[in-house]
């Protein structure tokens, strides 16, 4: 195998693929990165059994030559050293060559590295997904949906199904839902020209976090394909494959109250800043609890107290307050997490009493929903 590649393309491909490579794996060859050269270009592959990522560098694209002097072949290189070597090479092109014994030479300018490679035939074959369950979505929209839900997955392995995001398509809409049983985040978008029903699948939150780091924030189309135990996200130069979680995701729709006793409309940024300040004294507490109380003249009071440290109180003007007076305590962390992913200037918060879950939504958009359970304080 031999080729000369533009270093910048190699760096970005290597960075993407590294997100799937773990030093803690039961299959030793998976600590390496597979490099495959064909006349069309170079494919880099990394996998940890849960996630597999393939990044493709085309030989030529838009009249630009990315890879030249290609001699077909493949090899597996130790991923521990290869990324750092590539990043620190002196010139803008890199020549990589391997012989029949998988000895690999990497040259750039006057720098030359010799690495011991491994036989690529021993690298596990990635499954090829043959599926009718495919649909497309814009990359920036997918990133947004991940950002607005994945933070609410459970970090506890006691209920593994809650460590993932529930994805389904029904009524021509794509739904993402995440919950750790103390809060819930959901986002839905309409899908055009699609006659596909995707019953509930659950993608590990870890997979979606890694995918989110790799995807570009642009209008490129991402094709999503699902089989019974895997999901594939595919763009022009990237294949991102993740296993799905086994089990039934809980029915979350019944958690969402359909009526409310108190409704507030507030400016998102002001509420974030006020709760952030109140939480400064609540940090030592396990839940970072703050209390919200409605006052006269459209005022809200946000307070927090920590017996050993002190207390804080701040008043905030609401755009409107409707319904009954309210005193409610909640985790400032959960509240800030939810508010920060709503990219809108104003929000509505609907309460159904001091001990019932409450809902946060943008004032003009019901496709985003955040739900938080209050905290009982004595």
């Amino acid at each position: 195998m031999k080729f000369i590649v533009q270093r910048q393309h190699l760096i970005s491909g290597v960075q993407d693929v590294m997100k799937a490579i773990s030093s803690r794996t039961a299959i030793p060859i998976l600590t390496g990165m597979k490099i495959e050269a064909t006349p069309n270009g170079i494919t880099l592959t990394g996998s940890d059994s849960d996630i597999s990522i393939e990044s493709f560098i085309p030989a030529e694209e838009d009249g630009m030559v990315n890879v030249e002097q290609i001699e077909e072949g493949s090899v597996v290189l130790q991923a521990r050293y290869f990324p750092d070597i590539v990043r620190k090479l002196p010139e803008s092109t890199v020549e990589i060559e391997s012989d029949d014994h998988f000895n690999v030479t990497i040259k750039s300018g006057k720098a030359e590295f010799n690495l011991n490679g491994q036989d690529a035939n021993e690298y596990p074959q990635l499954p090829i997904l043959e599926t009718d369950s495919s649909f497309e979505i814009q990359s920036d929209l997918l990133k947004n949906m991940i950002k607005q839900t994945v933070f609410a997955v459970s970090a506890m392995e006691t209920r593994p199904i809650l460590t993932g995001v529930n994805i389904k398509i029904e009524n021509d809409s794509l739904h993402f839902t995440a919950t750790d049983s103390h809060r819930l985040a959901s986002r839905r978008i309409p899908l055009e020209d699609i006659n596909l029903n995707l019953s509930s699948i659950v993608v590990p939150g870890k997979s979606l976090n890694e995918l989110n780091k790799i995807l570009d924030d642009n209008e490129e189309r991402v094709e999503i394909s699902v089989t019974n135990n895997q999901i594939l996200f595919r763009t022009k130069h990237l294949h991102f494959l993740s296993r799905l979680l086994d089990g039934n995701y809980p029915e979350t729709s019944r958690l969402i109250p359909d009526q409310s006793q108190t409704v507030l409309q507030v400016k998102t940024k002001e509420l974030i800043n006020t709760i952030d300040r109140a939480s400064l004294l609540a940090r030592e507490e396990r839940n970072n609890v703050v209390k919200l109380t409605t006052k006269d003249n459209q005022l809200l009071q946000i307070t927090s107290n920590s017996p050993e440290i002190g207390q804080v109180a701040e008043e905030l003007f609401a755009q409107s307050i409707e319904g009954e007076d309210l005193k409610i305590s909640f985790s400032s962390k959960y509240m800030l997490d939810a508010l920060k992913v709503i990219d809108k200037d104003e929000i509505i918060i609907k309460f159904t009493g001091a001990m019932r879950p409450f809902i946060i939504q943008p004032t003009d958009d019901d496709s985003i929903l955040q739900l938080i359970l209050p905290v009982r304080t004595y």
Side-chain angles (χ1 to χ4, degrees):
M1 178 192 82
K2 182 183 173 186
F3 58 85
I4 295 173
V5 60
Q6 294 294 323
R7 189 170 69 96
Q8 214 41 54
H9 286 295
L10 187 59
I11 289 173
S12 65
V14 166
Q15 280 172 341
D16 287 350
V17 167
M18 281 302 293
K19 292 185 170 57
I21 299 176
S22 166
S23 54
R24 298 189 301 275
T25 172
I27 307 168
I29 199 162
L30 288 185
T31 60
M33 181 183 299
K34 181 176 160 188
I35 302 172
E36 188 174 6
T38 67
N40 298 328
I42 309 301
T43 302
L44 307 171
T45 306
S47 177
D48 67 358
S49 305
D50 286 345
I51 302 174
S52 303
I53 299 173
E54 275 186 3
S55 179
F56 180 65
I57 305 168
E60 217 177 297
E61 189 177 34
D62 302 333
M64 302 290 285
V65 175
N66 302 324
V67 192
E68 53 195 344
Q69 297 181 28
I70 298 172
E71 291 174 17
E72 288 185 63
S74 56
V75 70
V76 176
L77 275 180
Q78 266 304 320
R80 208 175 135 198
Y81 302 103
F82 184 54
D84 288 339
I85 291 171
V86 171
R87 207 166 48 243
K88 295 185 176 179
L89 287 172
E91 297 294 332
S92 62
T93 58
V94 183
E95 182 182 315
I96 297 179
E97 185 173 1
S98 83
D99 65 16
D100 297 343
H101 303 290
F102 313 112
N103 299 314
V104 179
T105 309
I106 302 169
K107 290 183 196 165
S108 179
K110 293 188 168 63
E112 181 174 319
F113 287 82
N114 291 294
L115 297 180
N116 301 325
Q118 288 170 280
D119 184 353
N121 290 326
E122 292 174 20
Y123 197 89
Q125 280 293 324
L126 296 194
I128 294 166
L129 287 199
E130 295 296 338
T131 171
D132 299 330
S133 305
S134 290
F135 60 97
E136 286 191 350
I137 176 176
Q138 273 183 207
S139 179
D140 51 1
L141 201 49
L142 177 57
K143 279 175 75 76
N144 230 349
M145 291 187 79
I146 294 171
K147 184 183 87 171
Q148 288 169 337
T149 51
V150 75
F151 68 88
V153 302
S154 174
M156 311 285 281
E157 290 291 340
T158 42
R159 287 185 70 189
I161 198 77
L162 295 187
T163 62
V165 175
N166 180 231
I167 299 177
K168 58 184 175 186
I169 295 174
E170 55 184 22
N171 306 329
D172 300 334
S173 289
L174 175 64
H175 296 251
F176 277 36
T177 308
T179 180
D180 61 5
S181 73
H182 300 289
R183 56 175 167 180
L184 177 144
S186 111
R187 175 76 204 273
R188 68 164 201 276
I189 59 158
L191 288 175
E192 289 152 21
D193 309 328
I194 188 158
N195 36 19
L196 170 71
N197 273 342
L198 178 67
S199 59
S200 169
I201 60 165
V202 185
V203 183
K206 173 178 173 268
S207 300
L208 290 175
N209 273 321
E210 296 302 350
L211 176 66
N212 198 26
K213 291 174 194 166
I214 295 175
L215 285 176
D216 290 327
D217 205 351
N218 59 22
E219 295 181 6
E220 185 183 5
R221 306 296 288 177
V222 181
E223 184 188 1
I224 302 175
S225 309
V226 181
T227 64
N228 47 9
N229 61 355
Q230 293 192 303
I231 184 166
L232 173 67
F233 299 87
R234 185 164 34 196
T235 67
K236 204 163 154 195
H237 299 318
L238 185 82
H239 286 189
F240 185 104
L241 187 72
S242 169
R243 72 182 176 93
L244 298 176
L245 294 177
D246 291 332
N248 293 321
Y249 201 77
E251 181 48 66
T252 52
S253 56
R254 53 195 171 77
L255 297 173
I256 298 163
D258 48 10
Q259 54 200 31
S260 47
Q261 295 170 352
T262 312
V263 180
L264 314 178
Q265 187 170 332
V266 284
K267 295 239 184 266
T268 317
K269 194 90 177 138
E270 287 178 12
L271 186 59
I272 287 175
N273 292 340
T274 307
I275 291 175
D276 199 19
R277 283 189 286 271
S279 73
L280 290 173
L281 298 191
R283 274 196 189 139
E284 301 303 313
E285 298 294 319
R286 198 167 52 87
N287 292 330
N288 302 350
V289 177
V290 299
K291 185 186 276 182
L292 178 149
T293 311
T294 55
K295 301 280 210 185
D296 296 337
N297 305 327
Q298 286 177 236
L299 284 177
L300 303 174
Q301 187 181 47
I302 308 278
T303 56
S304 173
N305 86 52
S306 180
E308 302 81 42
I309 302 164
Q311 56 190 19
V312 52
E314 184 172 344
E315 286 189 341
L316 171 73
F317 182 74
Q319 309 304 104
S320 68
I321 300 177
E322 293 167 18
E324 302 173 13
D325 287 343
L326 178 76
K327 265 187 194 169
I328 192 166
S329 300
F330 48 81
S331 154
S332 60
K333 179 189 180 315
Y334 285 178
M335 190 67 163
L336 290 171
D337 284 348
L339 292 172
K340 282 174 182 170
V341 298
I342 297 179
D343 302 326
K344 300 288 168 113
D345 293 341
E346 284 189 14
I347 49 160
I348 284 183
I349 313 179
K350 298 175 182 173
F351 299 93
T352 354
M355 284 322 300
R356 304 264 304 151
F358 58 91
I359 288 174
I360 310 163
Q361 288 184 303
T363 45
D364 53 355
D365 183 0
D366 65 357
S367 72
I368 303 170
L369 182 142
Q370 302 286 344
L371 175 143
I372 297 176
L373 268 70
V375 176
R376 197 181 286 277
T377 51
Y378 298 101

